[in-house]
Amino acid sequence: MSSSLVLHAVPGIPMVEPGDDLAELIIAALEGAELSLQHDDVLVLAQKIVSKAEGRYAYLNDIEPSAQARELAEQCDKDPRHMQVLLNESREVIRRRPGVVIVEHVLGYVHANAGIDRSNIRSDDDNPRLLLLPENPDRSAAQLRDTLKARLGLSVNIVINDSAGRAWRNGTLGFAIGTAGFEALENRIGEQDLYGRPLEVTEVAVADELAAAASFVMGQGDEALPLVLIRGAKLRPSSDGSKALIREREKDMFR
Amino acid sequence: MSSSLVLHAVPGIPMVEPGDDLAELIIAALEGAELSLQHDDVLVLAQKIVSKAEGRYAYLNDIEPSAQARELAEQCDKDPRHMQVLLNESREVIRRRPGVVIVEHVLGYVHANAGIDRSNIRSDDDNPRLLLLPENPDRSAAQLRDTLKARLGLSVNIVINDSAGRAWRNGTLGFAIGTAGFEALENRIGEQDLYGRPLEVTEVAVADELAAAASFVMGQGDEALPLVLIRGAKLRPSSDGSKALIREREKDMFR
């Protein structure tokens, strides 16, 4: 059986401000692009717009760095206030070297700089600010799904993606930090290959594959577009969010 | 500017045997699916069909395991002959534990089991065989690109993908082991964000994003389809292959 998948980068999402209603912005952007949402579509949102709508800013002038933050700033050649924000967002510093800090985020992701973003953020010189990850991206995704269902009468799947580096390979790649509506990690245990043998690969990170695909499309225009509509994905319904994608610390050989 | 990307899983690739002409199989499959190749399309091939066409089999009965292979087999609860094949394909064993061996492949990838595959392989019980990665996937990709250009008069981009686990996150994900025609790692140094500041993220693993997207589509049908046509990707021409995606050992903090 053949399958195809279509991804549209959706233009028309304005600069998002704290308190903005993302569902409303998304519905307007889709209408403006003459794209009508269908049942089982996937919407992929760049983390930035979710964080901005949630007002997830930290203002550096409000931050008093601890001794630990000062030490980390020294080791990594960074602003101590920035390192304090990073420590507040992290469970553990996993690797450090000049210019790079890799942490386990409080949400469980191993992520350079705890996913904290300085680019594309309007900041006056007087009080620069950082943008943090959403407080609970699975919850944000689930709420958006519920709101779209209430307003449009349609069940869509949601992915919130971010772009980050990884071990062993150069370059950043989109990955899923929050999902709603589907199995983020598909368990194929018990399925068989063409010869009737059990599949060797038993868990597939489908949410990350979709997040990576959307990240590619987001970066394709003259400027990055933070919303991608994916049509044609066959996903397994689930209300579990994306936590299954995070490897438990004790099973991780690369900490 | 809006962008869209379309991915087609192409049915009709038969069981591939050593010596098969992949370009011919691909042209026939595309015709059978009424898909006509266009300039700048991307074709993503599952590593398996490239390896099979190249006859990259190792027959276990031909293998005499070394002391090192026997020790590794003991530690990891694997067949010593299988471990000998793995060692032959590897520069270094990076992590080992029962059921898992993670190596640096001779081609530079950090890869569980050196990318060696046992599933979907026809093997009589008398002499089971393993399927290795292509000898030089960038070369395989470049040759296929050249052959398609000679036969069809069209320049297409090629990705050979494989699916593998990674650090920190559960589930497998498609990634690029060979590319031809485009910049696998896009360098965006010097580009600016919406506020005119230099972008923080300066290298994007576009080949891996396409490989992950294709891997999703390959797994969507009733059986895995090993060929995906991607249309609409804006890529930067390059003849450098995929080596830039591999982080140099001395820059890698997770070995």
Side-chain angles (χ1 to χ4, degrees):
Chain A
M1 195 185 71
S2 175
S3 311
S4 58
L5 191 74
V6 184
L7 297 96
H8 299 281
V10 183
I13 296 285
M15 287 294 154
V16 174
E17 300 295 339
D20 278 355
D21 178 342
L22 278 183
E24 189 180 302
L25 298 180
I26 289 168
I27 291 169
L30 288 167
E31 277 178 6
E34 296 181 3
L35 291 165
S36 60
L37 217 48
Q38 296 179 5
H39 189 69
D40 285 342
D41 279 348
V42 183
L43 287 174
V44 186
L45 286 75
Q47 161 266 324
K48 276 183 197 183
I49 61 170
V50 180
S51 292
K52 287 177 178 177
E54 294 179 1
R56 294 279 294 155
Y57 291 104
Y59 290 87
L60 289 185
N61 290 353
D62 301 343
I63 306 294
E64 187 54 54
S66 64
Q68 191 192 358
R70 290 181 190 281
E71 188 193 345
L72 190 59
E74 182 87 22
Q75 291 165 339
C76 303
D77 193 23
K78 301 258 191 186
D79 183 321
R81 300 169 300 172
H82 185 164
M83 291 303 96
Q84 184 62 56
V85 175
L86 180 143
L87 288 170
N88 296 346
E89 289 288 296
S90 305
R91 280 191 200 135
E92 186 190 351
V93 176
I94 292 180
R95 294 286 191 284
R96 66 190 77 190
R97 69 173 189 196
V100 181
V101 194
I102 297 172
V103 302
E104 181 182 331
H105 189 274
V106 289
L107 295 167
Y109 327 120
V110 177
H111 205 317
N113 206 22
I116 295 169
D117 210 331
R118 289 197 309 128
S119 63
N120 275 329
I121 293 168
R122 205 177 314 235
S123 70
D124 37 32
D125 291 333
D126 294 344
N127 195 6
R129 61 188 185 175
L130 303 174
L131 185 63
L132 314 180
L133 296 186
E135 193 174 284
N136 181 338
D138 278 342
R139 187 183 62 202
S140 307
Q143 285 172 348
L144 177 61
R145 174 175 151 90
D146 289 346
T147 305
L148 290 171
K149 186 163 192 179
R151 294 196 194 163
L152 302 175
L154 287 167
S155 284
V156 298
N157 300 294
I158 307 289
V159 176
I160 299 171
N161 77 349
D162 195 9
S163 197
R166 50 221 162 124
W168 318 322
R169 291 174 74 76
N170 290 319
T172 59
L173 192 72
F175 73 109
I177 63 167
T179 60
F182 68 102
E183 257 186 35
L185 181 71
E186 279 191 8
N187 186 332
R188 297 182 183 166
I189 290 173
E191 295 178 33
Q192 295 180 334
D193 70 19
L194 297 176
Y195 301 100
R197 281 190 286 190
L199 284 182
E200 291 200 345
V201 166
T202 50
E203 289 188 318
V204 181
V206 293
D208 285 333
E209 292 185 330
L210 292 173
S215 180
F216 178 84
V217 175
M218 287 175 177
Q220 285 269 285
D222 297 330
E223 60 183 63
L225 296 178
L227 177 65
V228 168
L229 168 65
I230 304 180
R231 183 157 296 159
K234 298 177 200 83
L235 297 167
R236 301 179 184 175
S238 165
S239 55
D240 285 345
S242 67
K243 283 287 177 283
L245 288 167
I246 298 173
R247 186 163 293 153
E248 294 163 58
R249 194 189 293 229
E250 53 276 16
K251 290 188 179 164
D252 195 335
M253 296 187 283
F254 296 96
R255 292 286 182 118
Chain B
M1 194 185 72
S2 176
S3 311
S4 57
L5 191 75
V6 184
L7 297 95
H8 298 280
V10 183
I13 297 285
M15 288 293 154
V16 175
E17 300 294 340
D20 278 353
D21 178 344
L22 277 184
E24 189 180 303
L25 298 181
I26 289 168
I27 291 169
L30 288 167
E31 277 178 7
E34 295 181 4
L35 291 165
S36 60
L37 218 46
Q38 297 179 6
H39 188 70
D40 286 341
D41 279 347
V42 183
L43 287 174
V44 186
L45 285 74
Q47 160 265 324
K48 275 182 197 184
I49 61 170
V50 181
S51 292
K52 287 177 179 177
E54 294 179 1
R56 294 278 294 154
Y57 291 104
Y59 290 86
L60 289 185
N61 290 353
D62 300 344
I63 306 294
E64 186 56 53
S66 64
Q68 190 192 359
R70 289 180 191 280
E71 188 193 346
L72 190 59
E74 182 87 20
Q75 291 165 337
C76 303
D77 192 23
K78 300 258 191 186
D79 183 320
R81 300 168 301 173
H82 185 164
M83 291 302 97
Q84 183 61 55
V85 174
L86 180 144
L87 289 169
N88 296 346
E89 289 288 295
S90 306
R91 281 189 200 138
E92 186 190 351
V93 177
I94 291 181
R95 293 285 190 286
R96 66 188 80 189
R97 68 174 189 194
V100 182
V101 194
I102 296 173
V103 302
E104 180 182 330
H105 189 273
V106 290
L107 295 167
Y109 328 117
V110 176
H111 206 318
N113 205 22
I116 296 169
D117 210 331
R118 288 196 308 130
S119 61
N120 276 330
I121 294 167
R122 205 175 314 235
S123 69
D124 37 34
D125 289 333
D126 295 345
N127 196 7
R129 61 188 185 175
L130 303 174
L131 185 63
L132 314 181
L133 296 187
E135 192 173 284
N136 181 339
D138 278 342
R139 187 182 63 202
S140 307
Q143 285 172 347
L144 177 62
R145 176 175 149 88
D146 290 346
T147 304
L148 291 170
K149 187 165 191 176
R151 296 197 194 163
L152 302 175
L154 288 168
S155 283
V156 298
N157 299 295
I158 307 288
V159 176
I160 299 171
N161 77 349
D162 194 9
S163 197
R166 53 225 160 120
W168 317 323
R169 290 174 75 75
N170 291 319
T172 60
L173 193 72
F175 74 108
I177 64 168
T179 61
F182 68 102
E183 258 186 36
L185 181 71
E186 280 192 7
N187 186 332
R188 296 182 184 166
I189 289 173
E191 296 178 34
Q192 296 179 334
D193 70 18
L194 296 176
Y195 302 100
R197 280 189 287 190
L199 284 182
E200 291 200 347
V201 165
T202 50
E203 290 188 318
V204 181
V206 293
D208 284 334
E209 291 185 329
L210 292 173
S215 179
F216 178 84
V217 175
M218 286 174 178
Q220 285 269 286
D222 298 330
E223 61 182 62
L225 295 177
L227 176 66
V228 169
L229 168 65
I230 303 180
R231 184 157 295 160
K234 299 177 198 80
L235 297 167
R236 302 178 182 174
S238 166
S239 54
D240 285 346
S242 67
K243 283 287 179 279
L245 288 167
I246 299 173
R247 185 163 294 152
E248 295 163 56
R249 195 189 293 228
E250 53 275 18
K251 290 188 179 165
D252 194 335
M253 296 187 283
F254 296 95
R255 292 287 182 115

